[in-house]
Amino acid sequence: MTRVHNFNAGPAALPLPVLERAQRDMVEFEGSGMSLLEHSHRGKVYEAVHNQAGALLRELVGISDDYEVLFLQGGASLQFAQIPMNFLHAGKSADYLLTGVWSKKALSEAKLLGKSRAAADTSKDGVFTRIPRQDELKLDAEAAYVHMTTNNTIFGTQWHYDPEVGKVPLIADMSSDFLWKPFDMNRYAMVYAGAQKNIGPSGLAVVVLRKDFLATGRKDIPVILRYDTHAENQSLYNTPNTFAIYMVRNVLEHMKAQGGLAAVEKLNREKAGLLYGAIDGDADFWRCPVEKDSRSTMNVVWRLPSEELEERFVKEATKNGMVGLKGHRSAGGIRASIYNAVPLESVAALVEFMAAFRKTA
Ligand code: PMP
């Protein structure tokens, strides 16, 4: 078996022990005579997996009973629409902190449904290289909610402070840095994440919602799009993505066995430190466009002196067993996504390759 060093932005690397466990479970799950894929979502066997996934998430993050944990379909993008559908009430306006492509998409959806505005925007000519400072946030104290994107997958920026938003409910899209470190759920009315970067396969969104906020959701929208529908039915209103939830359960169990989120953070910081160290250590050649205090620990982006060299870098890296390094088409350059499941050895191999490439460039 040859597994490459996987720097894909999402779907992305999964922990090898989690994949091997799924392989063992694939044909017959825990002596039940069939694969988990073949089990009814209403049966006891699947129900145990479903409940474990939620319980593990609560345990790892420290989520209190004031919150609901939901497993929904439609990825994070459906949340862009579902949030304003539920919480952008007539006569109210929502604040969006624009820090990249995904937060802009979230705002565009809200604009179709009600009044909403950018309460921060640090872009220049469509390019984001930093997170706004607290004093740059132009917040509306009466807003229905504030929406932020904690990590910007394409531009490689990440919030490293918790914005102060007063009494307004704070909603965070954590798709590309969910569970990269411990965080205080009590600061948020809602967080959500597409699973396919840090915690599992695509096609699943993990949504955590404070119950009192959830209760304010509109009731005059389609039942399937109401959060209370899914909360009342323990995310089993309709057939959920059972396999993705099973994979998330396994990833969370793996994270717990690693020592929980504090251990995950330590390793992530080590990986990011190693890669940024290599980039900054040869700043005449590599150039990270992101301001230092806004740099992402998950998606590291950088440029080479020319697009020709960037193309060659990606090609030669692929030949050396390192994939997924081409920057997003809207940003260009190189991007290494070093999510939770990317091992330190992969980052070390990349840094070694960079040094060798530099000598031949
Ligand atoms: N938010 C962020 C921060 C993302 O990176 C992505 C996907 N790259 C999305 C939302 C959209 O997720 P999905 O494809 O699951 O709808």
Side-chain angles (χ1 to χ4, degrees), residues 92-97 117 119-120 132-149 159 161-172 184-190 210 213:
K92 282 281 204 176
S93 168
D95 276 351
Y96 280 73
L97 308 181
R117 58 178 204 127
R133 296 181 310 270
Q134 177 74 45
D135 65 16
E136 293 176 297
L137 311 184
K138 295 182 180 63
L139 297 168
D140 166 7
E142 299 301 318
Y145 57 82
V146 177
H147 180 281
M148 70 184 291
T149 312
W159 289 76
Y161 74 93
D162 294 317
E164 191 48 66
V165 297
K167 287 193 179 4
V168 177
L170 179 60
I171 299 180
D184 181 6
M185 186 64 222
N186 295 319
R187 290 191 60 84
Y188 302 90
M190 170 175 175
R210 206 173 57 220
F213 182 60

mmCIF file of all heavy atoms in Angstrom, residues 92-97 117 119-120 132-149 159 161-172 184-190 210 213:
data_model
loop_
_atom_site.group_PDB
_atom_site.id
_atom_site.type_symbol
_atom_site.label_atom_id
_atom_site.label_comp_id
_atom_site.label_asym_id
_atom_site.label_seq_id
_atom_site.Cartn_x
_atom_site.Cartn_y
_atom_site.Cartn_z
ATOM 1 N N LYS A 92 -35.403 43.080 10.930
ATOM 2 C CA LYS A 92 -34.078 42.978 11.533
ATOM 3 C C LYS A 92 -33.017 42.943 10.438
ATOM 4 O O LYS A 92 -33.305 42.645 9.276
ATOM 5 C CB LYS A 92 -33.979 41.672 12.342
ATOM 6 C CG LYS A 92 -34.667 41.747 13.678
ATOM 7 C CD LYS A 92 -33.780 42.484 14.663
ATOM 8 C CE LYS A 92 -34.085 42.107 16.099
ATOM 9 N NZ LYS A 92 -33.153 42.771 17.028
ATOM 10 N N SER A 93 -31.764 43.174 10.836
ATOM 11 C CA SER A 93 -30.652 43.079 9.895
ATOM 12 C C SER A 93 -29.584 42.179 10.522
ATOM 13 O O SER A 93 -29.488 42.082 11.741
ATOM 14 C CB SER A 93 -30.107 44.493 9.657
ATOM 15 O OG SER A 93 -28.887 44.430 8.977
ATOM 16 N N ALA A 94 -28.815 41.491 9.682
ATOM 17 C CA ALA A 94 -27.754 40.615 10.201
ATOM 18 C C ALA A 94 -26.384 41.173 9.802
ATOM 19 O O ALA A 94 -26.235 41.733 8.716
ATOM 20 C CB ALA A 94 -27.920 39.202 9.652
ATOM 21 N N ASP A 95 -25.418 41.016 10.693
ATOM 22 C CA ASP A 95 -24.050 41.488 10.442
ATOM 23 C C ASP A 95 -23.157 40.333 10.002
ATOM 24 O O ASP A 95 -23.107 39.301 10.684
ATOM 25 C CB ASP A 95 -23.461 42.090 11.722
ATOM 26 C CG ASP A 95 -23.868 43.537 11.909
ATOM 27 O OD1 ASP A 95 -24.462 44.118 10.971
ATOM 28 O OD2 ASP A 95 -23.572 44.091 12.985
ATOM 29 N N TYR A 96 -22.431 40.520 8.925
ATOM 30 C CA TYR A 96 -21.493 39.500 8.445
ATOM 31 C C TYR A 96 -20.074 40.067 8.457
ATOM 32 O O TYR A 96 -19.836 41.167 7.936
ATOM 33 C CB TYR A 96 -21.876 39.043 7.020
ATOM 34 C CG TYR A 96 -23.016 38.040 7.030
ATOM 35 C CD1 TYR A 96 -24.317 38.450 7.316
ATOM 36 C CD2 TYR A 96 -22.779 36.683 6.797
ATOM 37 C CE1 TYR A 96 -25.360 37.523 7.367
ATOM 38 C CE2 TYR A 96 -23.811 35.747 6.835
ATOM 39 C CZ TYR A 96 -25.101 36.168 7.126
ATOM 40 O OH TYR A 96 -26.123 35.251 7.176
ATOM 41 N N LEU A 97 -19.155 39.317 9.045
ATOM 42 C CA LEU A 97 -17.748 39.730 9.066
ATOM 43 C C LEU A 97 -17.078 39.068 7.863
ATOM 44 O O LEU A 97 -16.914 37.837 7.840
ATOM 45 C CB LEU A 97 -17.084 39.304 10.379
ATOM 46 C CG LEU A 97 -17.844 39.748 11.650
ATOM 47 C CD1 LEU A 97 -17.097 39.300 12.910
ATOM 48 C CD2 LEU A 97 -18.054 41.256 11.667
ATOM 49 N N ARG A 117 -25.705 42.970 6.109
ATOM 50 C CA ARG A 117 -24.628 43.851 5.638
ATOM 51 C C ARG A 117 -23.274 43.345 6.102
ATOM 52 O O ARG A 117 -23.181 42.524 7.034
ATOM 53 C CB ARG A 117 -24.866 45.265 6.150
ATOM 54 C CG ARG A 117 -24.940 45.261 7.655
ATOM 55 C CD ARG A 117 -25.121 46.626 8.261
ATOM 56 N NE ARG A 117 -24.599 46.550 9.627
ATOM 57 C CZ ARG A 117 -23.699 47.362 10.148
ATOM 58 N NH1 ARG A 117 -23.225 48.365 9.479
ATOM 59 N NH2 ARG A 117 -23.256 47.163 11.383
ATOM 60 N N ALA A 119 -20.220 43.862 8.188
ATOM 61 C CA ALA A 119 -19.841 44.668 9.350
ATOM 62 C C ALA A 119 -18.324 44.784 9.451
ATOM 63 O O ALA A 119 -17.803 45.442 10.353
ATOM 64 C CB ALA A 119 -20.410 44.049 10.615
ATOM 65 N N ALA A 120 -17.633 44.113 8.534
ATOM 66 C CA ALA A 120 -16.174 44.235 8.412
ATOM 67 C C ALA A 120 -15.799 43.655 7.059
ATOM 68 O O ALA A 120 -16.481 42.747 6.570
ATOM 69 C CB ALA A 120 -15.464 43.457 9.517
ATOM 70 N N PRO A 132 -9.835 41.268 10.463
ATOM 71 C CA PRO A 132 -9.999 42.631 11.005
ATOM 72 C C PRO A 132 -9.709 42.693 12.506
ATOM 73 O O PRO A 132 -9.885 41.698 13.213
ATOM 74 C CB PRO A 132 -11.473 42.939 10.725
ATOM 75 C CG PRO A 132 -12.134 41.615 10.582
ATOM 76 C CD PRO A 132 -11.108 40.679 10.035
ATOM 77 N N ARG A 133 -9.271 43.859 12.950
ATOM 78 C CA ARG A 133 -9.095 44.067 14.395
ATOM 79 C C ARG A 133 -10.461 44.386 15.007
ATOM 80 O O ARG A 133 -11.383 44.808 14.312
ATOM 81 C CB ARG A 133 -8.163 45.267 14.663
ATOM 82 C CG ARG A 133 -6.740 45.097 14.166
ATOM 83 C CD ARG A 133 -5.920 46.349 14.533
ATOM 84 N NE ARG A 133 -6.608 47.585 14.139
ATOM 85 C CZ ARG A 133 -6.467 48.178 12.945
ATOM 86 N NH1 ARG A 133 -5.676 47.651 12.030
ATOM 87 N NH2 ARG A 133 -7.124 49.304 12.680
ATOM 88 N N GLN A 134 -10.546 44.197 16.312
ATOM 89 C CA GLN A 134 -11.823 44.491 16.994
ATOM 90 C C GLN A 134 -12.288 45.921 16.687
ATOM 91 O O GLN A 134 -13.474 46.139 16.435
ATOM 92 C CB GLN A 134 -11.634 44.303 18.520
ATOM 93 C CG GLN A 134 -12.858 44.649 19.352
ATOM 94 C CD GLN A 134 -13.980 43.612 19.261
ATOM 95 O OE1 GLN A 134 -13.744 42.419 19.331
ATOM 96 N NE2 GLN A 134 -15.225 44.072 19.109
ATOM 97 N N ASP A 135 -11.353 46.880 16.662
ATOM 98 C CA ASP A 135 -11.786 48.275 16.460
ATOM 99 C C ASP A 135 -12.232 48.560 15.018
ATOM 100 O O ASP A 135 -12.717 49.640 14.712
ATOM 101 C CB ASP A 135 -10.697 49.267 16.916
ATOM 102 C CG ASP A 135 -9.423 49.182 16.086
ATOM 103 O OD1 ASP A 135 -9.462 48.600 14.984
ATOM 104 O OD2 ASP A 135 -8.389 49.702 16.526
ATOM 105 N N GLU A 136 -12.078 47.579 14.151
ATOM 106 C CA GLU A 136 -12.545 47.755 12.765
ATOM 107 C C GLU A 136 -13.950 47.182 12.546
ATOM 108 O O GLU A 136 -14.512 47.332 11.465
ATOM 109 C CB GLU A 136 -11.582 47.062 11.794
ATOM 110 C CG GLU A 136 -10.206 47.719 11.728
ATOM 111 C CD GLU A 136 -9.274 46.930 10.819
ATOM 112 O OE1 GLU A 136 -8.982 45.757 11.157
ATOM 113 O OE2 GLU A 136 -8.851 47.467 9.796
ATOM 114 N N LEU A 137 -14.479 46.489 13.534
ATOM 115 C CA LEU A 137 -15.804 45.881 13.372
ATOM 116 C C LEU A 137 -16.875 46.948 13.584
ATOM 117 O O LEU A 137 -16.902 47.606 14.634
ATOM 118 C CB LEU A 137 -16.007 44.727 14.374
ATOM 119 C CG LEU A 137 -14.881 43.688 14.471
ATOM 120 C CD1 LEU A 137 -15.281 42.571 15.440
ATOM 121 C CD2 LEU A 137 -14.531 43.101 13.113
ATOM 122 N N LYS A 138 -17.712 47.124 12.563
ATOM 123 C CA LYS A 138 -18.767 48.148 12.685
ATOM 124 C C LYS A 138 -20.081 47.441 12.984
ATOM 125 O O LYS A 138 -20.888 47.175 12.085
ATOM 126 C CB LYS A 138 -18.860 48.955 11.389
ATOM 127 C CG LYS A 138 -17.587 49.740 11.150
ATOM 128 C CD LYS A 138 -17.640 50.593 9.907
ATOM 129 C CE LYS A 138 -16.354 51.360 9.712
ATOM 130 N NZ LYS A 138 -15.177 50.469 9.507
ATOM 131 N N LEU A 139 -20.239 47.084 14.244
ATOM 132 C CA LEU A 139 -21.350 46.212 14.618
ATOM 133 C C LEU A 139 -22.623 46.985 14.923
ATOM 134 O O LEU A 139 -22.578 48.087 15.461
ATOM 135 C CB LEU A 139 -20.946 45.373 15.841
ATOM 136 C CG LEU A 139 -19.759 44.427 15.595
ATOM 137 C CD1 LEU A 139 -19.236 43.864 16.914
ATOM 138 C CD2 LEU A 139 -20.174 43.287 14.654
ATOM 139 N N ASP A 140 -23.731 46.353 14.578
ATOM 140 C CA ASP A 140 -25.055 46.895 14.862
ATOM 141 C C ASP A 140 -25.533 46.224 16.153
ATOM 142 O O ASP A 140 -25.723 44.998 16.184
ATOM 143 C CB ASP A 140 -25.959 46.547 13.653
ATOM 144 C CG ASP A 140 -27.434 46.729 13.926
ATOM 145 O OD1 ASP A 140 -27.790 47.255 14.993
ATOM 146 O OD2 ASP A 140 -28.235 46.340 13.042
ATOM 147 N N ALA A 141 -25.721 47.007 17.180
ATOM 148 C CA ALA A 141 -26.093 46.439 18.492
ATOM 149 C C ALA A 141 -27.464 45.760 18.456
ATOM 150 O O ALA A 141 -27.792 44.963 19.331
ATOM 151 C CB ALA A 141 -26.085 47.537 19.553
ATOM 152 N N GLU A 142 -28.254 46.060 17.417
ATOM 153 C CA GLU A 142 -29.600 45.476 17.306
ATOM 154 C C GLU A 142 -29.656 44.337 16.288
ATOM 155 O O GLU A 142 -30.745 43.863 15.940
ATOM 156 C CB GLU A 142 -30.604 46.563 16.860
ATOM 157 C CG GLU A 142 -30.740 47.737 17.813
ATOM 158 C CD GLU A 142 -31.196 47.282 19.189
ATOM 159 O OE1 GLU A 142 -32.081 46.419 19.253
ATOM 160 O OE2 GLU A 142 -30.631 47.778 20.186
ATOM 161 N N ALA A 143 -28.501 43.923 15.782
ATOM 162 C CA ALA A 143 -28.480 42.912 14.709
ATOM 163 C C ALA A 143 -29.148 41.609 15.160
ATOM 164 O O ALA A 143 -29.119 41.259 16.350
ATOM 165 C CB ALA A 143 -27.050 42.637 14.274
ATOM 166 N N ALA A 144 -29.712 40.884 14.182
ATOM 167 C CA ALA A 144 -30.322 39.584 14.477
ATOM 168 C C ALA A 144 -29.247 38.596 14.924
ATOM 169 O O ALA A 144 -29.465 37.753 15.793
ATOM 170 C CB ALA A 144 -31.035 39.051 13.234
ATOM 171 N N TYR A 145 -28.075 38.711 14.305
ATOM 172 C CA TYR A 145 -26.915 37.883 14.678
ATOM 173 C C TYR A 145 -25.684 38.429 13.969
ATOM 174 O O TYR A 145 -25.795 39.237 13.040
ATOM 175 C CB TYR A 145 -27.130 36.401 14.307
ATOM 176 C CG TYR A 145 -27.435 36.153 12.840
ATOM 177 C CD1 TYR A 145 -26.420 36.075 11.887
ATOM 178 C CD2 TYR A 145 -28.753 35.988 12.398
ATOM 179 C CE1 TYR A 145 -26.702 35.854 10.542
ATOM 180 C CE2 TYR A 145 -29.049 35.774 11.055
ATOM 181 C CZ TYR A 145 -28.019 35.708 10.140
ATOM 182 O OH TYR A 145 -28.285 35.502 8.807
ATOM 183 N N VAL A 146 -24.520 37.994 14.452
ATOM 184 C CA VAL A 146 -23.267 38.288 13.757
ATOM 185 C C VAL A 146 -22.744 36.968 13.214
ATOM 186 O O VAL A 146 -22.701 35.973 13.949
ATOM 187 C CB VAL A 146 -22.200 38.884 14.710
ATOM 188 C CG1 VAL A 146 -20.885 39.108 13.973
ATOM 189 C CG2 VAL A 146 -22.688 40.189 15.322
ATOM 190 N N HIS A 147 -22.372 36.954 11.946
ATOM 191 C CA HIS A 147 -21.835 35.729 11.344
ATOM 192 C C HIS A 147 -20.355 35.911 11.038
ATOM 193 O O HIS A 147 -19.954 36.904 10.440
ATOM 194 C CB HIS A 147 -22.594 35.410 10.049
ATOM 195 C CG HIS A 147 -22.113 34.155 9.366
ATOM 196 N ND1 HIS A 147 -20.959 34.124 8.593
ATOM 197 C CD2 HIS A 147 -22.607 32.891 9.356
ATOM 198 C CE1 HIS A 147 -20.788 32.881 8.133
ATOM 199 N NE2 HIS A 147 -21.767 32.117 8.577
ATOM 200 N N MET A 148 -19.555 34.948 11.453
ATOM 201 C CA MET A 148 -18.120 34.978 11.145
ATOM 202 C C MET A 148 -17.659 33.626 10.606
ATOM 203 O O MET A 148 -18.333 32.616 10.787
ATOM 204 C CB MET A 148 -17.306 35.334 12.394
ATOM 205 C CG MET A 148 -17.302 34.222 13.434
ATOM 206 S SD MET A 148 -16.441 34.651 14.967
ATOM 207 C CE MET A 148 -14.745 34.733 14.422
ATOM 208 N N THR A 149 -16.521 33.633 9.936
ATOM 209 C CA THR A 149 -15.894 32.406 9.434
ATOM 210 C C THR A 149 -14.547 32.300 10.142
ATOM 211 O O THR A 149 -13.669 33.137 9.914
ATOM 212 C CB THR A 149 -15.682 32.493 7.910
ATOM 213 O OG1 THR A 149 -16.900 32.950 7.316
ATOM 214 C CG2 THR A 149 -15.286 31.159 7.318
ATOM 215 N N TRP A 159 -8.977 33.598 12.499
ATOM 216 C CA TRP A 159 -9.168 34.476 13.669
ATOM 217 C C TRP A 159 -8.341 33.917 14.820
ATOM 218 O O TRP A 159 -8.486 32.739 15.166
ATOM 219 C CB TRP A 159 -10.628 34.528 14.087
ATOM 220 C CG TRP A 159 -11.520 35.276 13.142
ATOM 221 C CD1 TRP A 159 -11.989 34.829 11.937
ATOM 222 C CD2 TRP A 159 -12.048 36.596 13.323
ATOM 223 N NE1 TRP A 159 -12.778 35.798 11.355
ATOM 224 C CE2 TRP A 159 -12.839 36.891 12.183
ATOM 225 C CE3 TRP A 159 -11.947 37.559 14.324
ATOM 226 C CZ2 TRP A 159 -13.509 38.097 12.025
ATOM 227 C CZ3 TRP A 159 -12.620 38.759 14.174
ATOM 228 C CH2 TRP A 159 -13.386 39.032 13.036
ATOM 229 N N TYR A 161 -8.394 35.790 17.770
ATOM 230 C CA TYR A 161 -9.010 36.352 18.976
ATOM 231 C C TYR A 161 -10.522 36.166 18.829
ATOM 232 O O TYR A 161 -11.015 35.955 17.717
ATOM 233 C CB TYR A 161 -8.631 37.833 19.155
ATOM 234 C CG TYR A 161 -9.314 38.799 18.199
ATOM 235 C CD1 TYR A 161 -10.503 39.445 18.559
ATOM 236 C CD2 TYR A 161 -8.796 39.061 16.934
ATOM 237 C CE1 TYR A 161 -11.132 40.340 17.693
ATOM 238 C CE2 TYR A 161 -9.415 39.943 16.058
ATOM 239 C CZ TYR A 161 -10.584 40.581 16.439
ATOM 240 O OH TYR A 161 -11.218 41.453 15.583
ATOM 241 N N ASP A 162 -11.211 36.207 19.960
ATOM 242 C CA ASP A 162 -12.667 36.079 19.910
ATOM 243 C C ASP A 162 -13.261 37.474 19.795
ATOM 244 O O ASP A 162 -13.080 38.287 20.707
ATOM 245 C CB ASP A 162 -13.194 35.425 21.199
ATOM 246 C CG ASP A 162 -12.728 33.987 21.322
ATOM 247 O OD1 ASP A 162 -12.771 33.272 20.311
ATOM 248 O OD2 ASP A 162 -12.319 33.585 22.429
ATOM 249 N N PRO A 163 -13.972 37.788 18.708
ATOM 250 C CA PRO A 163 -14.534 39.126 18.599
ATOM 251 C C PRO A 163 -15.587 39.373 19.681
ATOM 252 O O PRO A 163 -16.330 38.462 20.053
ATOM 253 C CB PRO A 163 -15.166 39.133 17.195
ATOM 254 C CG PRO A 163 -15.393 37.709 16.866
ATOM 255 C CD PRO A 163 -14.333 36.920 17.573
ATOM 256 N N GLU A 164 -15.601 40.590 20.161
ATOM 257 C CA GLU A 164 -16.591 40.977 21.172
ATOM 258 C C GLU A 164 -17.805 41.521 20.434
ATOM 259 O O GLU A 164 -17.681 42.484 19.680
ATOM 260 C CB GLU A 164 -15.940 42.052 22.073
ATOM 261 C CG GLU A 164 -16.715 42.367 23.320
ATOM 262 C CD GLU A 164 -17.156 41.133 24.087
ATOM 263 O OE1 GLU A 164 -16.287 40.397 24.602
ATOM 264 O OE2 GLU A 164 -18.393 40.898 24.130
ATOM 265 N N VAL A 165 -18.955 40.882 20.601
ATOM 266 C CA VAL A 165 -20.149 41.312 19.855
ATOM 267 C C VAL A 165 -21.311 41.704 20.786
ATOM 268 O O VAL A 165 -22.448 41.815 20.351
ATOM 269 C CB VAL A 165 -20.616 40.230 18.844
ATOM 270 C CG1 VAL A 165 -19.557 39.976 17.800
ATOM 271 C CG2 VAL A 165 -21.009 38.928 19.547
ATOM 272 N N GLY A 166 -21.013 41.909 22.046
ATOM 273 C CA GLY A 166 -22.052 42.318 23.000
ATOM 274 C C GLY A 166 -23.115 41.250 23.163
ATOM 275 O O GLY A 166 -22.798 40.067 23.250
ATOM 276 N N LYS A 167 -24.355 41.680 23.136
ATOM 277 C CA LYS A 167 -25.454 40.736 23.405
ATOM 278 C C LYS A 167 -25.978 40.066 22.137
ATOM 279 O O LYS A 167 -26.901 39.258 22.183
ATOM 280 C CB LYS A 167 -26.605 41.482 24.084
ATOM 281 C CG LYS A 167 -26.313 41.852 25.526
ATOM 282 C CD LYS A 167 -27.601 42.292 26.207
ATOM 283 C CE LYS A 167 -27.472 42.663 27.660
ATOM 284 N NZ LYS A 167 -26.186 42.661 28.289
ATOM 285 N N VAL A 168 -25.442 40.444 21.000
ATOM 286 C CA VAL A 168 -25.934 39.900 19.725
ATOM 287 C C VAL A 168 -25.458 38.449 19.577
ATOM 288 O O VAL A 168 -24.293 38.154 19.841
ATOM 289 C CB VAL A 168 -25.430 40.767 18.541
ATOM 290 C CG1 VAL A 168 -25.874 40.189 17.207
ATOM 291 C CG2 VAL A 168 -25.919 42.200 18.697
ATOM 292 N N PRO A 169 -26.347 37.534 19.174
ATOM 293 C CA PRO A 169 -25.935 36.124 19.009
ATOM 294 C C PRO A 169 -24.811 35.986 17.971
ATOM 295 O O PRO A 169 -24.910 36.547 16.876
ATOM 296 C CB PRO A 169 -27.207 35.431 18.518
ATOM 297 C CG PRO A 169 -28.333 36.338 18.905
ATOM 298 C CD PRO A 169 -27.775 37.724 18.886
ATOM 299 N N LEU A 170 -23.774 35.262 18.330
ATOM 300 C CA LEU A 170 -22.630 35.071 17.432
ATOM 301 C C LEU A 170 -22.724 33.684 16.788
ATOM 302 O O LEU A 170 -22.892 32.680 17.479
ATOM 303 C CB LEU A 170 -21.320 35.201 18.222
ATOM 304 C CG LEU A 170 -20.019 35.016 17.449
ATOM 305 C CD1 LEU A 170 -19.880 36.040 16.314
ATOM 306 C CD2 LEU A 170 -18.811 35.143 18.401
ATOM 307 N N ILE A 171 -22.645 33.663 15.463
ATOM 308 C CA ILE A 171 -22.701 32.403 14.700
ATOM 309 C C ILE A 171 -21.378 32.235 13.973
ATOM 310 O O ILE A 171 -20.919 33.165 13.303
ATOM 311 C CB ILE A 171 -23.857 32.436 13.665
ATOM 312 C CG1 ILE A 171 -25.200 32.612 14.378
ATOM 313 C CG2 ILE A 171 -23.841 31.167 12.809
ATOM 314 C CD1 ILE A 171 -26.408 32.665 13.444
ATOM 315 N N ALA A 172 -20.771 31.057 14.089
ATOM 316 C CA ALA A 172 -19.466 30.855 13.436
ATOM 317 C C ALA A 172 -19.496 29.665 12.494
ATOM 318 O O ALA A 172 -19.899 28.561 12.868
ATOM 319 C CB ALA A 172 -18.381 30.657 14.484
ATOM 320 N N ASP A 184 -14.439 27.827 23.535
ATOM 321 C CA ASP A 184 -15.510 28.037 24.503
ATOM 322 C C ASP A 184 -16.838 28.164 23.763
ATOM 323 O O ASP A 184 -17.156 29.212 23.220
ATOM 324 C CB ASP A 184 -15.205 29.310 25.316
ATOM 325 C CG ASP A 184 -16.278 29.570 26.369
ATOM 326 O OD1 ASP A 184 -17.186 28.713 26.536
ATOM 327 O OD2 ASP A 184 -16.214 30.632 27.012
ATOM 328 N N MET A 185 -17.597 27.085 23.770
ATOM 329 C CA MET A 185 -18.879 27.071 23.055
ATOM 330 C C MET A 185 -19.810 28.160 23.583
ATOM 331 O O MET A 185 -20.640 28.687 22.841
ATOM 332 C CB MET A 185 -19.520 25.683 23.214
ATOM 333 C CG MET A 185 -20.784 25.477 22.405
ATOM 334 S SD MET A 185 -20.536 25.533 20.607
ATOM 335 C CE MET A 185 -21.964 26.500 20.122
ATOM 336 N N ASN A 186 -19.665 28.510 24.856
ATOM 337 C CA ASN A 186 -20.599 29.472 25.456
ATOM 338 C C ASN A 186 -20.510 30.873 24.842
ATOM 339 O O ASN A 186 -21.391 31.690 25.049
ATOM 340 C CB ASN A 186 -20.377 29.546 26.969
ATOM 341 C CG ASN A 186 -20.724 28.212 27.611
ATOM 342 O OD1 ASN A 186 -21.715 27.568 27.238
ATOM 343 N ND2 ASN A 186 -19.885 27.765 28.519
ATOM 344 N N ARG A 187 -19.452 31.131 24.095
ATOM 345 C CA ARG A 187 -19.350 32.430 23.409
ATOM 346 C C ARG A 187 -20.281 32.492 22.198
ATOM 347 O O ARG A 187 -20.519 33.558 21.658
ATOM 348 C CB ARG A 187 -17.916 32.665 22.907
ATOM 349 C CG ARG A 187 -16.900 32.909 23.996
ATOM 350 C CD ARG A 187 -15.606 33.392 23.356
ATOM 351 N NE ARG A 187 -15.797 34.629 22.612
ATOM 352 C CZ ARG A 187 -15.781 35.838 23.129
ATOM 353 N NH1 ARG A 187 -15.546 35.994 24.399
ATOM 354 N NH2 ARG A 187 -15.973 36.906 22.372
ATOM 355 N N TYR A 188 -20.750 31.343 21.743
ATOM 356 C CA TYR A 188 -21.496 31.288 20.482
ATOM 357 C C TYR A 188 -22.951 30.881 20.692
ATOM 358 O O TYR A 188 -23.251 30.032 21.528
ATOM 359 C CB TYR A 188 -20.860 30.261 19.532
ATOM 360 C CG TYR A 188 -19.414 30.543 19.214
ATOM 361 C CD1 TYR A 188 -18.391 30.011 20.003
ATOM 362 C CD2 TYR A 188 -19.071 31.363 18.143
ATOM 363 C CE1 TYR A 188 -17.061 30.294 19.723
ATOM 364 C CE2 TYR A 188 -17.747 31.650 17.859
ATOM 365 C CZ TYR A 188 -16.751 31.107 18.649
ATOM 366 O OH TYR A 188 -15.440 31.393 18.373
ATOM 367 N N ALA A 189 -23.824 31.470 19.856
ATOM 368 C CA ALA A 189 -25.209 30.999 19.821
ATOM 369 C C ALA A 189 -25.280 29.764 18.933
ATOM 370 O O ALA A 189 -26.133 28.899 19.113
ATOM 371 C CB ALA A 189 -26.110 32.097 19.276
ATOM 372 N N MET A 190 -24.368 29.714 17.966
ATOM 373 C CA MET A 190 -24.389 28.600 17.007
ATOM 374 C C MET A 190 -23.011 28.464 16.359
ATOM 375 O O MET A 190 -22.381 29.468 16.031
ATOM 376 C CB MET A 190 -25.433 28.900 15.928
ATOM 377 C CG MET A 190 -25.401 27.959 14.750
ATOM 378 S SD MET A 190 -26.775 28.315 13.597
ATOM 379 C CE MET A 190 -26.371 27.173 12.292
ATOM 380 N N ARG A 210 -27.515 26.933 20.501
ATOM 381 C CA ARG A 210 -28.039 27.160 21.851
ATOM 382 C C ARG A 210 -29.565 27.067 21.809
ATOM 383 O O ARG A 210 -30.201 27.616 20.911
ATOM 384 C CB ARG A 210 -27.585 28.519 22.372
ATOM 385 C CG ARG A 210 -27.521 28.562 23.905
ATOM 386 C CD ARG A 210 -26.914 29.840 24.409
ATOM 387 N NE ARG A 210 -27.680 30.956 23.896
ATOM 388 C CZ ARG A 210 -27.137 32.100 23.469
ATOM 389 N NH1 ARG A 210 -25.841 32.270 23.501
ATOM 390 N NH2 ARG A 210 -27.904 33.066 23.004
ATOM 391 N N PHE A 213 -31.707 30.208 21.555
ATOM 392 C CA PHE A 213 -31.592 30.850 20.231
ATOM 393 C C PHE A 213 -32.390 30.052 19.202
ATOM 394 O O PHE A 213 -33.171 30.598 18.416
ATOM 395 C CB PHE A 213 -30.114 30.937 19.835
ATOM 396 C CG PHE A 213 -29.874 31.623 18.513
ATOM 397 C CD1 PHE A 213 -30.275 32.932 18.312
ATOM 398 C CD2 PHE A 213 -29.237 30.952 17.468
ATOM 399 C CE1 PHE A 213 -30.049 33.568 17.086
ATOM 400 C CE2 PHE A 213 -29.012 31.574 16.250
ATOM 401 C CZ PHE A 213 -29.427 32.891 16.062
#
